[in-house]
Amino acid sequence: EGQAGEVEVENAGINLLVPGSWEVVEGEGEMVFSFADPERSFEGVLNTTTDFPGLILFPVLERNPDLFAQSMGEGTVIEGIARFDVEQGIPAIRLAFSGADSGEGLMDGAMYVYGPGEAVYMMFAAAPADQWPAVAEEADLAAASILFDENLITLETAGEGGLEVEDPNGLFRFTMPAGWLVTPANMEEMPFTFTDPNVSVVGLVGMPPTSDGDAFAQSLTEAAADSLSD
């Protein structure tokens, strides 16, 4: 149950508890919600995409958070990055930033990334520096309240005996070690994404569309970077 003053919103299989003072608009396509509180110049959005294997964002952001800062424009400073817990136990990470230029002034805020499986979900929240501390507490509570419909959670966890996974076209099969996670990926040549229990190492299984592994990895990183700047 939510705290006093919170309201539940639902769209596209996503449920959130948000403050009653927030204006919430249900989106379409890749935008699930947009948020606003005009009195505090707060703005936010929750987006999703399957354009690249979303779990890749976790090690990319933890090892190179400046990638996100660059996507937000010159002067943006990364203030911190940390995992956080959500009820369904899916991977989630929070990246705090300051000094982002909105075109109408500098904003502080946070990005929250969720990895339920094939799709990645990203919630952005930002407000002027003098308003952000109060907004941040509300945004953190809203971000942690997220619930996904079961059909959106495609991550599978290997049990004690491992988990056998087979290519849809019958070209290969493999076994994930106990505790590791695997999900379908929206890529014809690389149909599965896998990761260790801590989501610190993320890999793809299949036949990459290029013989140059470094170039393929770079293309995935660039796709992830593009998603951050959308």
Side-chain angles (χ1 to χ4, degrees):
E1 296 182 0
Q3 299 181 2
E6 290 182 327
V7 295
E8 183 177 358
V9 295
E10 188 278 332
N11 186 38
I14 302 296
N15 287 68
L16 286 175
L17 291 173
V18 303
S21 61
W22 287 16
E23 298 177 358
V24 181
V25 177
E26 295 179 2
E28 297 179 353
E30 292 189 341
M31 187 181 80
V32 182
F33 295 110
S34 64
F35 315 104
D37 185 343
E39 291 188 3
R40 296 183 290 180
S41 299
F42 157 68
E43 296 181 351
V45 66
L46 175 63
N47 292 329
T48 182
T49 183
T50 57
D51 288 346
F52 64 95
L55 291 175
I56 285 178
L57 271 181
F58 287 78
V60 165
L61 287 174
E62 287 185 318
R63 294 167 189 169
N64 188 17
D66 287 341
L67 182 70
F68 174 74
Q70 293 165 10
S71 75
M72 295 293 288
E74 185 177 354
T76 303
V77 176
I78 303 303
E79 300 291 349
I81 185 166
R83 301 292 180 99
F84 67 99
D85 296 326
V86 296
E87 182 175 326
Q88 291 165 304
I90 64 170
I93 193 168
R94 178 186 189 270
L95 189 150
F97 62 89
S98 65
D101 190 349
S102 68
E104 299 180 356
L106 299 181
M107 307 282 276
D108 294 355
M111 178 180 70
Y112 310 83
V113 180
Y114 309 91
E118 182 174 358
V120 61
Y121 288 77
M122 295 172 287
M123 175 175 159
F124 297 86
D130 62 336
Q131 299 288 343
W132 175 244
V135 173
E137 183 176 355
E138 297 176 352
D140 286 349
L141 290 172
S145 76
I146 197 167
L147 290 174
F148 293 85
D149 278 1
E150 290 300 321
N151 65 331
L152 298 179
I153 302 176
T154 59
L155 278 180
E156 288 190 73
T157 303
E160 292 184 3
L163 176 67
E164 185 173 281
V165 182
E166 185 171 354
D167 171 53
N169 297 316
L171 298 177
F172 61 85
R173 66 177 62 183
F174 61 96
T175 300
M176 295 302 304
W180 282 54
L181 309 171
V182 63
T183 178
N186 190 35
M187 300 177 66
E188 183 177 355
E189 301 89 351
M190 308 287 284
F192 296 103
T193 306
F194 66 89
T195 182
D196 67 297
N198 297 319
V199 198
S200 59
V201 176
V202 175
L204 301 171
V205 180
M207 296 180 294
T210 172
S211 60
D212 188 339
D214 289 340
F216 181 60
Q218 180 63 26
S219 70
L220 293 176
T221 300
E222 290 173 354
D226 288 345
S227 76
L228 298 177
S229 59
D230 288 344

